[in-house]
Each structure stands twice: as C-alpha cells, then as structure tokens.
Amino acid sequence: MITYNTEGVKMPKIKRRDITAWIKAVAASYGKKTGEIGYLFVGDEKILEVNREYLGHDYYTDIITFDYSEEDTINGDIVISLETVATNAIAQGTDSDEELLRVIIHGILHLCGINDKGPGEREIMEAAENKALAMLPRQS
C-alpha cells in the first residue's frame, strides 16, 4: 500500500491514484513489487529535523528515503520538503509540479537500488528519473 500524508503543509495537488499506478509501473520495470511505502510531505524545518535526528546531517534537502525493502518488494518511508522542491524548481527553471514528480519517483528509484552519491551515479539517477517521468501518463 502506498500512502500520502502531510505534516505542517497542505497536501500537494497530485492525483494519488495515478501516481500510485505510476510508482507500481516504475518499480515493476526494475523487477520490483511495491509493499508498504509511505510518503510524508513536510516543510523545510521538519525535513531539517529529520535529517539531523536520523542521518546526522545539518542541512535542508528535498527528500530523505528510508529503505526497508526485502528481496524484490520495496518498502520505505519517503519524506519530501515541499518548500525545498519549490526552491529547487525555481533555481532549475522548471515547473514545481514537474519537480515534485521527479522527487516522488527519485525516492522510489532509491528503493529500487539506484544511488546518486558516488562517481557517475548522479547521471545514472537522472537518466532513470527521465525514463520514469516518460512513463507517467500525462493528463491534458
């Protein structure tokens, strides 16, 4: 089951049923099934608190993914700062809704085993994000 919750922010305008189907399709493209995945949309102060408490990092970020996956079933908690997503969208000259979709799937790609911290990994992650975004049915 994939759940979407908020703490201290309004729920983003996403079509949860469509996003859930998309997430399942992306996971399946990596040979994975979705188990328990919980999204928590928060503001900058909450993600900073989570980053400090659980990772020992003292900075803002757009997403933190906690991976509880087992074998071919992905499970995890994904915390997303809507404020940082909006800030990053402006900095990159992209639409904030599009950036949110990129971040939503970024967490799933981490759960599927794709990393972005090592040499050359960021490019692999970006290509995977673009491939996943292309799988999202666009509403007209």
Side-chain angles (χ1 to χ4, degrees), residues 35-136:
E36 297 292 324
I37 298 170
Y39 281 92
L40 180 62
F41 299 103
V42 300
D44 278 350
E45 291 311 310
K46 180 63 179 180
I47 206 156
L48 179 61
E49 177 186 315
V50 171
N51 215 1
R52 286 175 175 157
E53 183 175 340
Y54 294 98
L55 302 177
H57 299 158
D58 191 25
Y59 53 82
Y60 298 100
T61 187
D62 52 357
I63 183 170
I64 298 173
T65 304
F66 296 97
D67 188 351
Y68 314 123
S69 299
E70 297 175 359
E71 297 174 12
D72 65 345
T73 302
I74 60 171
N75 299 289
D77 289 321
I78 300 172
V79 184
I80 295 175
S81 170
L82 296 178
E83 288 178 90
T84 300
V85 167
T87 301
N88 289 349
I90 292 166
Q92 296 167 13
T94 186
D95 179 73
S96 61
D97 292 339
E98 186 76 13
E99 183 64 14
L100 179 57
L101 292 171
R102 181 176 295 279
V103 174
I104 285 171
I105 211 62
H106 182 94
I108 296 300
L109 294 170
H110 273 310
L111 297 179
C112 289
I114 299 173
N115 295 312
D116 60 356
K117 298 288 187 233
E121 290 180 339
R122 177 158 288 300
E123 293 78 9
I124 292 167
M125 175 61 85
E126 233 172 79
E129 289 169 354
N130 290 335
K131 179 181 162 204
L133 286 165
M135 293 173 65
L136 180 64

